[in-house]
Amino acid sequence: LFSATTMSSANRFMHPFYCLNVALMGSYYPVRSMVDMSKLEMSDMMSFGLTREQQLFACAVIFYLVKLPHFTNWDARLANLFLYFKFVTTVISFMINIKMFIGYLIIFLLFAIFIKQPEYRGEHNCILFEDTQSFMDKVCNSKSNKRWVIYCYASWADNCISFSSIFAQLSLQFGNKYLKFGKIDIGKYAGIANKYNISIKPSTKQ
């Protein structure tokens, strides 16, 4: 069982989340050679001579490239690349072979449950608040002249995991004795989320 274990710097890209997803992508062509792909081999002038399979992958690549400027680091770029691949593979397998479709669904479900994207925990200059009391004492009720930048995250959210390395870099660049950086898991301490009207729904756009 691999959880969102903290990994240091670039070493996190050797985590099973990345290695196994790359292996999964590489396994597609051997798998497709074992099934009848004739349903997706049709092409015409309107599709620029591309087969249905090639069209699906081309659309995914185009969507990915459009979204790429919004991915702020390699964590997000790779995670979304894997996600787009899984989506296209699911659609293709549904169209050609029910056994292939069910097999991929099971694999993707196992990946989602047991192989989480690793969280960045390299060099940083921020405080991780482990309970609400210490957060309230140091940030909310403190009478010092310090100012805080607080990262409210949820450990189960992929976007939060991807952003953690950026927040660490910001803390190193701008953190000082007057400006402090801190982070608290509002997925675990929902009272903080409620106090500051922070949504912890998976579909939130906050």
Side-chain angles (χ1 to χ4, degrees):
L1 176 65
F2 297 104
S3 61
T5 316
T6 57
M7 304 284 286
S8 62
S9 191
N11 289 335
R12 68 189 184 280
F13 294 116
M14 297 305 295
H15 186 273
F17 171 82
Y18 297 103
C19 296
L20 292 178
N21 271 287
V22 170
L24 182 63
M25 292 177 68
S27 70
Y28 173 74
Y29 278 98
V31 170
R32 75 181 292 281
S33 66
M34 301 177 188
V35 297
D36 181 12
M37 299 289 292
S38 58
K39 292 181 181 179
L40 299 180
E41 291 178 349
M42 297 176 294
S43 64
D44 52 51
M45 291 296 294
M46 295 298 293
S47 61
F48 303 100
L50 299 175
T51 64
R52 294 284 177 82
E53 179 189 24
Q54 292 169 339
Q55 290 175 46
L56 287 169
F57 274 108
C59 288
V61 169
I62 291 171
F63 277 113
Y64 178 77
L65 292 177
V66 169
K67 298 284 289 183
L68 191 60
H70 301 284
F71 304 146
T72 51
N73 55 23
W74 279 103
D75 304 68
R77 292 175 193 129
L78 291 174
N80 280 275
L81 176 64
F82 300 148
L83 182 63
Y84 276 74
F85 169 78
K86 291 172 183 175
F87 175 76
V88 174
T89 304
T90 301
V91 173
I92 289 175
S93 59
F94 177 77
M95 295 173 68
I96 61 173
N97 188 287
I98 189 62
K99 291 182 179 179
M100 181 180 177
F101 173 68
I102 294 174
Y104 269 122
L105 277 186
I106 292 173
I107 292 173
F108 295 159
L109 181 61
L110 291 174
F111 270 49
I113 295 174
F114 296 111
I115 307 174
K116 302 293 185 180
Q117 186 176 10
E119 181 184 351
Y120 173 86
R121 187 61 70 83
E123 189 178 1
H124 64 90
N125 186 25
C126 58
I127 297 174
L128 174 63
F129 293 101
E130 299 284 1
D131 57 79
T132 56
Q133 189 59 51
S134 62
F135 176 82
M136 297 299 293
D137 290 342
K138 290 188 176 182
V139 178
C140 303
N141 302 327
S142 175
K143 296 182 180 179
S144 69
N145 60 351
K146 296 176 184 178
R147 295 293 180 264
W148 287 87
V149 178
I150 301 297
Y151 176 31
C152 298
Y153 72 101
S155 58
W156 46 261
D158 293 339
N159 288 342
C160 292
I161 293 173
S162 298
F163 183 73
S164 60
S165 63
I166 297 175
F167 190 75
Q169 293 169 12
L170 290 173
S171 71
L172 290 171
Q173 185 173 356
F174 299 106
N176 54 56
K177 64 180 181 179
Y178 300 110
L179 180 63
K180 298 295 183 181
F181 285 73
K183 53 190 296 188
I184 186 168
D185 187 349
I186 58 173
K188 185 184 298 183
Y189 306 111
I192 299 296
N194 294 332
K195 179 178 175 63
Y196 294 102
N197 297 317
I198 301 172
S199 174
I200 56 175
K201 295 178 180 179
S203 59
T204 183
K205 297 297 183 181
Q206 286 186 339

